[in-house]
Amino acid sequence: MFFVTTAIDYPNGKPHIGHAYEKVLADVLTRYQRLKGMPSFFLTGVDQHGQKMVKTAEAEGVNVATLTKRNTKGFIRLWEKLGVDYDGWAETTDERHKACVQAILSKLEKKGSLYKKSYAGHYSIRQEQYLTDRDRNDDGEFGSEWGEVEEREEENWYFKLSDHVEWLRSTVESDDLKIFPKFRKNEVLNALERSGDTDLCISRPKERMSWGIPLPFDPDFVTYVWFDALINYISFAGYLKAEGSDFPDFDSLWPADLQIIGKDILVPAHAVYWPCMLHAMGFEASEMPTLLVHGFWNVRGDKMSKSLGNIVDPDELADKFGPETLRYYLCRDIRSGKDSDFDIERLVMLFNTELANDLGNLLNRSINMTKGFCNSTISDTNTSDDEDLALRESLTRSIDAYRKAMDACEVSVALQAINDHVTHCNGYLERHKPWEMKKDESKLARVGEILSHTAESCAQLAVLLRPILPNAATKIFSQLKKEDLTEFTLDDLKWGLLEAGHQTGKPKPVFPRIQVEEK
Ligand code: MSP
């Protein structure tokens, strides 16, 4: 089973475009695995505990449990709207998750991997962590990114992270723990160089923060967010599940084939704490998840933030432009692992040129002319015309490039491959001008062949588009009267999906142009 997970989002507000991107990316990559005929499982969810939730609830004057429930619903609603089709939903307040976290904590405590000590230092309330001198800026101060910083002395529980750092270094070096894109691996190795022998604080005193999972062996403390949150990847995959639980079979899922996260939570959380936690639990190097690290969506080069008031709301955009327009833009305008600027003008431009004009037009012309000039009937396409051969080769090239790109999780490159063939087909139509050729009756058979080449291309391109634009692909299939294409795998793709004599349907714009309001 191919197992895809994402970070679980803090539901301390509404989902923003960064949250949406990651879930759409995971959805697309899972759907792609299914297109390859690979049984898959996609787990995502929300990270509901911690100080952030408590602070927001206080600010809004509501109970933290009420806020959590309400905001969690907002995330679920948006994923439904965007067609994010997960199989497992992780909520960290779920009793089954809590039981799993507590069982792991008990086991680690018995093994001697945890200890209690007192610590005094500077604490960032916003980042929920103690700061060290390394976190000071050039003036020796803690910068505004840390928010309010207070001096605290607390007793807490610690995880002996330092016991595992050497093991982790060799596991990252040997690529047993795989990190993509490749340049991120160095970032992790550099962080390990600097990490020294600090252990990980895994608790908060209950009197300061009660919104968390109590430590089973010391109930005056609750688990610190990361320890709780990271465990979601295994608890909701069925690790230590209770008898009769409907959680999946853990052994068929783990290790995760793709654990998709943003660059901000690679170091230290996912590339240091998480593998060390797994190792302490008894997981071996060969049982580490594969990390896929994506970049950030910014706005005109700035990080999105409440204080800058530049947060992009995916819900609003989905309502305005359609959920699949947003899916297309999110997949199209960011390169794997890099940052990108979210730009509504580009969203409109890319949709209008690549989907409405190029693909939409190709489909519309193909079906419309097949209906008008060929009684909606597909002709034999086993032709030896050079242009026909070149078109068939262009399609093969695009499918190969698409497959290679999707296997490397480079969705924007895969879309480029699709668009290359669309461009080829439109050029082919422009060169042949079947709308003129059909005036000469002796050329009608050739007109049929030409249109059948572009209609066949549309059918195959729709199969490739299915993971990214499932609804549009279904509409294309239905206009071509090939509903059964939804059952196709990538390996079934060979020339002749639309066999000679097949009747196509009526054209209807699948990608109506977005009308730009005059300023
Ligand atoms: N709750 C933690 C993750 C725990 S995983 C065990 C968290 N939550 S978050 O809500 O702040 O972020 C959730 C995901 O969204 C992270 O992978 C994060 O990198 C990603 N993004 C947050 N802002 C983003 C952008 N502006 N752009 C792209 N993704 C970004 O961290």
Side-chain angles (χ1 to χ4, degrees), residues 87-286:
D87 304 286
W89 179 249
E91 290 187 6
T92 49
T93 55
D94 187 315
E95 292 303 328
R96 297 167 300 178
H97 169 74
K98 291 190 196 173
C100 182
V101 170
Q102 290 188 325
I104 291 169
L105 284 165
S106 297
K107 189 171 157 188
L108 292 182
E109 200 258 338
K110 278 204 194 86
K111 274 175 82 171
S113 304
L114 309 179
Y115 62 91
K116 199 175 182 180
K117 74 163 184 188
S118 177
Y119 181 80
H122 292 92
Y123 188 83
S124 153
I125 298 179
R126 182 195 285 172
Q127 297 301 333
E128 300 183 31
Q129 69 184 71
Y130 277 100
L131 305 178
T132 67
D133 283 342
R134 271 207 306 271
D135 300 316
R136 293 179 191 274
N137 59 24
D138 293 342
D139 303 330
E141 308 287 329
F142 295 113
S144 58
E145 70 275 21
W146 299 112
E148 192 185 336
V149 175
E150 65 178 28
E151 285 192 43
R152 264 193 197 180
E153 174 157 12
E154 260 175 22
E155 260 206 313
N156 267 311
W157 281 87
Y158 287 78
F159 165 56
K160 286 186 185 166
L161 192 70
S162 46
D163 279 358
H164 306 275
V165 170
E166 263 327 297
W167 166 85
L168 179 60
R169 194 192 317 277
S170 67
T171 303
V172 174
E173 267 165 3
S174 64
D175 287 329
D176 274 318
L177 174 65
K178 294 181 200 60
I179 304 169
F180 294 110
K182 269 278 165 256
F183 69 91
R184 297 279 177 205
K185 174 178 165 179
N186 285 338
E187 201 176 305
V188 173
L189 288 171
N190 289 340
L192 288 176
E193 260 335 292
R194 284 182 272 113
S195 79
D197 56 1
T198 38
D199 285 337
L200 171 66
C201 179
I202 62 152
S203 73
R204 290 292 176 262
K206 204 167 182 175
E207 83 238 9
R208 270 191 199 280
M209 231 281 300
S210 60
W211 187 238
I213 304 175
L215 301 188
F217 41 84
D218 198 349
D220 289 340
F221 291 85
V222 300
T223 319
Y224 170 54
V225 277
W226 279 115
F227 212 86
D228 163 1
L230 289 162
I231 287 175
N232 98 86
Y233 297 130
I234 53 177
S235 62
F236 289 93
Y239 184 62
L240 303 182
K241 71 176 172 183
E243 191 88 16
S245 151
D246 56 3
F247 276 163
D249 169 34
F250 185 66
D251 292 337
S252 71
L253 288 189
W254 197 255
D257 297 281
L258 281 181
Q259 204 166 283
I260 305 178
I261 54 165
K263 63 177 187 179
D264 59 327
I265 54 173
L266 173 66
V267 175
H270 282 81
V272 183
Y273 302 164
W274 181 223
C276 290
M277 282 163 64
L278 285 168
H279 190 232
M281 286 176 223
F283 289 86
E284 295 180 9
S286 60

Side-chain angles (χ1 to χ4, degrees), residues 7-10 16 18-19 21-23 47 226 229-230 232-233 260-265 270 294-297 304:
I8 49 174
D9 303 317
Y10 290 126
H16 58 60
H19 297 138
Y21 166 62
E22 187 176 276
K23 308 318 155 235
D47 184 359
W226 279 115
L230 289 162
N232 98 86
Y233 297 130
I260 305 178
I261 54 165
K263 63 177 187 179
D264 59 327
I265 54 173
H270 282 81
H294 61 78
F296 261 46
W297 284 97
M304 283 191 304

